[in-house]
Amino acid sequence: MIVWLNGTFGAGKTTAARELLDLLPGSVLYDPELIGTGLRLMLPEKRLGEVSDYQDLPCWRRLVVDTAAALLSEIGGGPLVVPMTLLRQEYRDEIFGGLAARRIAVRHFVLDAEETVLRERIEQRADIPGDPVANAEVRGWCLEQLAAYREALPWLTADAHVVDTTGMGPRATAERVAEAIREGAGVCDIVQTPEPTAETLAAGVLLFDEEDRVLLVDPTYKPGWEFPGGVVEPGEAPARAGMREVAEELGLHLPTVPRLLVVDWEPPLPPGYGGLRLLFDGGRLGAAEAERLLLPGAELRGWRFASEDEAAAMLPPVRLTRLRWALRARERATVLNLEAGVPVGS
């Protein structure tokens, strides 16, 4: 199990985490900031200059998950206490989804305090002994993050168990968190999608509204929007798999087997294994049908119809390319065979 202590600077995450080690038998402190420090030493300056925060590095987010799994294996189960700020919901999705895929349970807590208290605590920070200039820079950077924290609070408070640390010291905060854990609070109800161990076959279904906008869904367990669909189970027909996924994800039962639009071979790109990706045409949904769509909270956060231009700002590049060719195939009433997003054999 992982106990993730989230919150902005000054909330008391690190000091409470150390106290929490005494209250959770067998627990170990895991600080992902050390991974960021290591990447700063190893990555080229050019790459580091392309991001404003090490959390923006995909390898940091991947290493956070991999390191957690390795630590839990090494210590025999944990729990791991993680004092780490995560204010971008898509990063939370990616990291917590990766942990869920490894069957690692997460308890998510947000340590909060009144802003005046947060500012006072930040002003008292002295992270670098004997270097007042560097300390002032750190305090200034921490104060700048308060605005991002306020902006993230709506999704944070909906996602995690909040502990108000105003007027509480580290020990009292840790005791409050330990009590909440015993009461079952902070459970992160996120879908557990197993990590692939070989190439996979996946089927997606494109559904359209009366304006021919395509339906996209927002998964809780990975970054970026997606099409309804998923991995084809052994012995399952791909089109039927797409129909099953649409029913499971949206509560919509397609009356007929959807027509194939695109077959795309996705090459292996470590740590992914690639495989075949199929997109089917699920047809148009009337307004009444769209109003009846249901979302499993542990798997999908939201859905919306999007034009091709709108989808360009929502989908990762690989999915966007696949969608664009699928739309062309739909217009021409044909099927396109792609390799890495490029049509072949036509």
Side-chain angles (χ1 to χ4, degrees):
M1 180 179 74
I2 285 179
V3 178
W4 196 289
L5 302 184
N6 206 343
T8 192
F9 300 97
K13 300 184 299 298
T14 301
T15 52
R18 294 194 180 104
E19 294 289 346
L20 196 56
L21 298 179
D22 293 336
L23 304 175
L24 300 178
S27 59
V28 171
L29 183 68
Y30 169 36
D31 188 357
E33 187 171 349
L34 296 174
I35 298 174
T37 300
L39 289 174
R40 287 195 190 101
L41 296 173
M42 291 183 285
L43 288 174
E45 288 295 327
K46 180 179 182 299
R47 179 67 184 111
L48 293 173
E50 295 170 348
V51 299
S52 58
D53 190 310
Y54 60 72
Q55 291 195 8
D56 297 331
L57 295 166
C59 62
W60 179 82
R61 302 191 296 275
R62 187 160 63 244
L63 284 170
V64 168
V65 175
D66 292 343
T67 304
L71 282 173
L72 285 170
S73 176
E74 189 72 24
I75 66 176
L80 298 181
V81 180
V82 183
M84 190 72 227
T85 300
L86 276 180
L87 300 184
R88 294 186 59 168
Q89 193 171 14
E90 65 268 31
Y91 292 173
R92 170 267 187 204
D93 293 349
E94 185 174 351
I95 292 171
F96 284 20
L99 294 168
R102 290 162 171 78
R103 300 297 189 263
I104 299 172
V106 178
R107 299 289 190 94
H108 190 195
F109 294 89
V110 169
L111 305 189
D112 188 33
E114 297 175 0
E115 184 159 337
T116 54
V117 174
L118 293 172
R119 289 183 176 275
E120 289 173 1
R121 292 175 180 173
I122 291 172
E123 291 292 356
Q124 295 170 5
R125 289 183 64 143
D127 298 72
I128 308 170
D131 193 337
V133 175
N135 280 319
E137 292 177 352
V138 170
R139 288 193 293 268
W141 189 85
C142 292
L143 288 169
E144 290 173 0
Q145 307 313 303
L146 290 177
Y149 175 63
R150 287 193 299 270
E151 186 178 344
L153 270 176
W155 79 261
L156 281 173
T157 53
D159 188 82
H161 181 80
V162 180
V163 176
D164 188 349
T165 68
T166 303
M168 287 200 302
R171 186 70 181 190
T173 299
E175 289 173 349
R176 183 74 60 84
V177 172
E179 180 183 2
I181 292 172
R182 289 192 293 270
E183 293 174 351
V187 173
C188 184
D189 189 19
I190 191 168
V191 70
Q192 295 184 341
T193 303
E195 286 286 303
T197 57
E199 290 186 348
T200 54
L201 173 62
V205 179
L206 301 184
L207 299 163
F208 301 87
D209 68 0
E210 294 167 345
E211 299 176 32
D212 265 350
R213 296 178 301 177
V214 67
L215 179 69
L216 301 179
V217 294
D218 186 10
T220 61
Y221 55 91
K222 62 181 178 180
W225 290 70
E226 180 62 282
F227 320 111
V231 174
V232 179
E233 301 292 342
E236 187 177 28
R240 299 288 179 175
M243 297 174 72
R244 171 181 56 77
E245 289 284 349
V246 167
E248 292 176 357
E249 294 181 357
L250 302 172
L252 179 67
H253 297 273
L254 299 179
T256 58
V257 176
R259 184 176 71 85
L260 181 63
L261 294 173
V262 157
V263 178
D264 188 11
W265 174 75
E266 186 175 288
L269 181 62
Y273 290 89
L276 285 180
R277 310 290 179 250
L278 281 63
L279 283 182
F280 294 87
D281 184 356
R284 286 192 178 94
L285 299 180
E289 289 180 293
E291 289 177 358
R292 291 196 297 269
L293 294 179
L294 302 174
L295 294 178
E299 186 168 354
L300 299 177
R301 183 186 300 110
W303 63 270
R304 61 165 290 190
F305 287 106
S307 67
E308 185 172 348
D309 288 341
E310 290 170 333
M314 300 167 64
L315 292 172
V318 170
R319 293 176 211 156
L320 177 61
T321 299
R322 195 172 296 141
L323 170 65
R324 284 180 163 157
W325 284 117
L327 295 178
R328 303 294 85 77
R330 184 170 182 258
E331 292 168 357
R332 302 167 191 168
T334 189
V335 179
L336 291 176
N337 181 31
L338 312 179
E339 291 183 359
V342 178
V344 295
S346 59

